[in-house]
Amino acid sequence: MPTADNCRPNPEELLRKVQADERRESRGRLKVFLGYVSRVGKSYRMFDEGRRRKERGQDVVVGALQAGVTPEISQILKCLDVIPTISARHAGRDYEVMDMSALFRRHPAVCLIDGLAYDNPPGSRNPHRWQDVSELLDRGIAVISAVNLQHIAEQQDAVERITGKRAANSIPEAFLSEADEIEVVDAPPDALIDRTAVNAIPDSRKLAELRELALLLAADVVDRQLQEYLDAHGVAARWGAQERILVCLTPRSNAAEMLRSGQRNKLRFHGALLAAYVEQPELPPRDRELLDKNLALARDMGAEVHALKGIDFVDAILSFAREQRITQLFLGHTGRPNRAWLARGPIDRLIDAAESFDIRLFPHGSAS
Amino acid sequence: MSAPKGKLKVYLGYAAGVGKTYRMLEEAQEMRQKGVDIVIGYFEPHGRKETIAKTEGIEVVPRRVLTYAGSPFEEMDTDAVLRRKPAVALVDEFAHTNVPGAERVKRWQDVHAIVEAGIDVLTTMNVQHLESLNDQVFHATGIRVRETVPDWVVDEADELVFVDLTPRALRNRLERGVVYAQEKARRAMENFFTESNLTALREMALRHTAHEVEERLDAEAAAGLAESPDEAPGDLQPVRRPERILICLTGRPSSAVLIRRGKRVADYIHAECLAVHVGDVSHDSEAVERHMSFARNLRIETHVLPNGDVPDSVASFARARGVTQIFIGRSAPLPWWKRYRESIVQRLVRQARDMQITIVAERRR
């Protein structure tokens, strides 16, 4: 399997990586249970894991509970130490704030914290509970927590489009992505509807949409973790589970059709859409204009546009495609017969070299 | 007049030991407590104590013993399950291949028979057994999974539940000997259950479950629209020429990759999928026939075109059938002294300039 050239990190990058690793070494581990809606059972799963760890001899405490503890959870809580939260009242609202100094003093191995997206009242040590969690981690305490999709800041627009509602409090997606482990708590919508009083949760179609969103979010986080793992272990980037489409733009290719198709594929596969062109120093003004138009179109259609440098078009595209773990390469016919005696055109050469991605050739069409 | 079909629910995981069977049994116990008539059609205990404990109180339909090559093998007694006719039957390991001599080759076919008889079935499988992911799994893990289930079988399930566990937690379970006996566990962790393999498989399972959820949403939307055409929302997709994918088969081994890839793309973009072979079936006919029947198993319509010029025949067949995309494998490399000749791919590319052509990579590791 070919490896990308020039992938050796520079000294600063290495130093940063070493420091990050050191920080991670002494830091507590964070595990988050992710649910797509409330009542899916993520708190239960979290406390159940706490119970099992305690049975295996780990020092487990509960740092925060959520209102409305179910009978199953109270059953588990009987065998766990709970560090009571501090009740506070602010502007007519009741709050439950984690007792950070008690937790620091107690310094458990593992702390269970429900309601990761909880907001503390003004004047607290930290405005948000996830920041409290971060402090516990910094002190070497492992945290197991649970959060719902509607509380991930970057997902809130999408959730609102589905449910028409927006949760007031949220955590940054980066906090979730940096967790050492996330576990998805999945259940079919119908099971939830049976389990809950009617009207308390969205209808089954909305639930299915939320469920899909949560699964894809988790897949993206897992994908990043996989790439990090492979990088850290010196394994070359490889063909992943996600479809990654690269549209090759040239001045005279049928960019609109390729990009439209690329966009459709991106949506259907929940993949990534990239577009790239190889810089040419002496492009005639007319071609420059056409290329710029194509690039603008690519950006409009949500493609990530890259300018590639290289003497040879084919080599530049190939190494970029490998580095980016491309699974489909979109390429247009040039519109002129490309074959001279014994000469292999760029398309032939790309086909010969493409071992890890498909090449889709598009008709020339009537690109202007 | 036949009874309405039963419902099929699949617990999907990404490796042995993530807790699929446990989750299935938990649900079975809940049902039993509600008074549902539920039996175990097949259960694979793997010596896991917590899981075995969860079967308590659930009636078991005894397995049947088949003798093959002088050794006894136990399989689900499908006829006995059908005779017992419970409301719900639990059937572990959906992707299992039955021992030769059983009525059906695959357990999923047994399950089908049970569902057809109006019995609901709960079953378990791992994502790597899905036919469409076979190449991806091989690429990510180096393991070619032989026991596969065609995707349509899972697509037709009424419900799919993803059973998650983080790779770290799974490896801890292995270390503690929960999943396999110690020695087997150690070997497993060095081979298949590496952190990168597990992470890659888990990502596939997450993406696949998301895809299945979306497919069901699309199907529901389409059904809803057909029922009430007046209420069609205005922001529907513009009418496009329906996509039709044509796969060019040969007897070469890479055709299997080509078929899976073409079908996977077709499934995702909701395209029709056809496959064609040009020529003389007598020449490497056995391999061609195998690929054709593999394609048909995946519900791809297959055609054989009379012997002739391959690019010509394929291009005109494609035009006649309104194909929008042709899928073809790379030609075998020619020796350099023959490089002046055009390959079939090159000629097809030249002749079907009005169509999209996808040249599929073999994706060797």
Side-chain angles (χ1 to χ4, degrees), chain A residues 246-260 273-280 283 287-288 290-301 303-308 313 317 320 329-334 350:
Chain A
L246 174 62
V247 177
C248 296
L249 295 174
T250 58
R252 296 187 183 272
S253 58
N254 189 358
E257 193 189 342
M258 287 197 286
L259 287 165
R260 254 199 316 274
L273 179 63
L274 291 80
Y277 65 102
V278 181
E279 284 183 348
Q280 287 170 280
L283 208 56
D287 281 4
R288 181 77 244 171
L290 287 170
L291 181 65
D292 285 344
K293 225 174 90 188
N294 289 346
L295 297 178
L297 184 64
R299 289 192 189 96
D300 280 353
M301 300 189 82
E304 190 186 305
V305 177
H306 293 261
L308 308 182
F313 173 84
I317 294 286
F320 183 69
L329 186 81
F330 287 12
L331 206 62
H333 277 300
T334 51
L350 275 172

Side-chain angles (χ1 to χ4, degrees), chain B residues 218-239:
Chain B
D218 289 348
E220 231 176 75
L225 224 61
E227 277 167 24
S228 53
D230 302 342
E231 286 167 39
D235 60 343
L236 273 181
Q237 288 177 356
V239 179

Side-chain angles (χ1 to χ4, degrees), chain B residues 76-281:
Chain B
M76 170 163 69
D77 193 341
T78 307
D79 286 341
V81 174
L82 291 171
R83 275 196 306 276
R84 167 65 179 75
K85 207 169 186 336
V88 185
L90 263 65
V91 183
D92 219 358
E93 302 194 339
F94 195 47
H96 170 80
T97 302
N98 291 333
V99 73
E103 287 82 352
R104 301 176 191 84
V105 180
K106 300 279 183 181
R107 181 163 296 152
W108 64 260
Q109 294 169 321
D110 287 319
V111 167
H112 247 235
I114 297 171
V115 168
E116 286 293 330
I119 299 166
D120 291 351
V121 173
L122 308 183
T123 190
T124 60
M125 76 179 277
N126 283 324
V127 73
Q128 56 267 35
H129 295 293
L130 272 171
E131 186 63 59
S132 67
L133 291 174
N134 195 272
D135 300 306
Q136 248 171 301
V137 170
F138 174 65
H139 194 89
T141 65
I143 286 156
R144 185 60 85 183
V145 177
R146 300 286 165 203
E147 281 187 337
T148 59
V149 176
D151 287 55
W152 61 263
V153 177
V154 178
D155 292 345
E156 285 180 3
D158 298 272
E159 276 180 8
L160 189 70
V161 189
F162 174 57
V163 182
D164 198 16
L165 184 74
T166 66
R168 187 186 149 87
L170 177 55
R171 284 172 56 87
N172 282 341
R173 276 190 189 179
L174 277 160
E175 265 173 10
R176 295 202 308 272
V178 178
V179 182
Y180 296 129
Q182 294 288 346
E183 177 55 18
K184 192 177 173 195
R186 195 187 52 74
R187 268 184 287 120
M189 284 176 76
E190 282 166 12
N191 299 310
F192 189 69
F193 288 75
T194 62
E195 198 165 329
S196 68
N197 280 359
L198 293 175
T199 309
L201 291 168
R202 185 175 175 223
E203 185 183 346
M204 284 178 220
L206 283 162
R207 288 194 190 283
H208 192 81
T209 312
H211 170 66
E212 293 282 348
V213 170
E214 184 169 323
E215 287 296 299
R216 282 161 181 72
L217 273 168
D218 289 348
E220 231 176 75
L225 224 61
E227 277 167 24
S228 53
D230 302 342
E231 286 167 39
D235 60 343
L236 273 181
Q237 288 177 356
V239 179
R240 267 189 301 109
R241 190 172 156 208
E243 293 265 5
R244 204 162 286 159
I245 285 177
L246 176 67
I247 301 169
C248 300
L249 287 186
T250 64
R252 293 174 55 204
S254 59
S255 279
V257 176
L258 184 62
I259 293 165
R260 280 191 287 263
R261 185 68 181 157
K263 180 62 178 158
R264 180 172 156 84
V265 173
D267 282 350
Y268 269 78
I269 65 171
H270 298 161
E272 239 181 88
C273 193
L274 313 165
V276 73
H277 171 71
V278 179
D280 215 346
V281 187

Side-chain angles (χ1 to χ4, degrees), chain A residues 181-182 184 211-212 239 360, chain B residues 160 164 166 202 214 356:
Chain A
E181 296 173 73
I182 75 166
V184 176
R211 186 180 174 205
E212 186 188 2
W239 192 47
R360 171 128 54 121
Chain B
L160 189 70
D164 198 16
T166 66
R202 185 175 175 223
E214 184 169 323
Q356 293 176 17

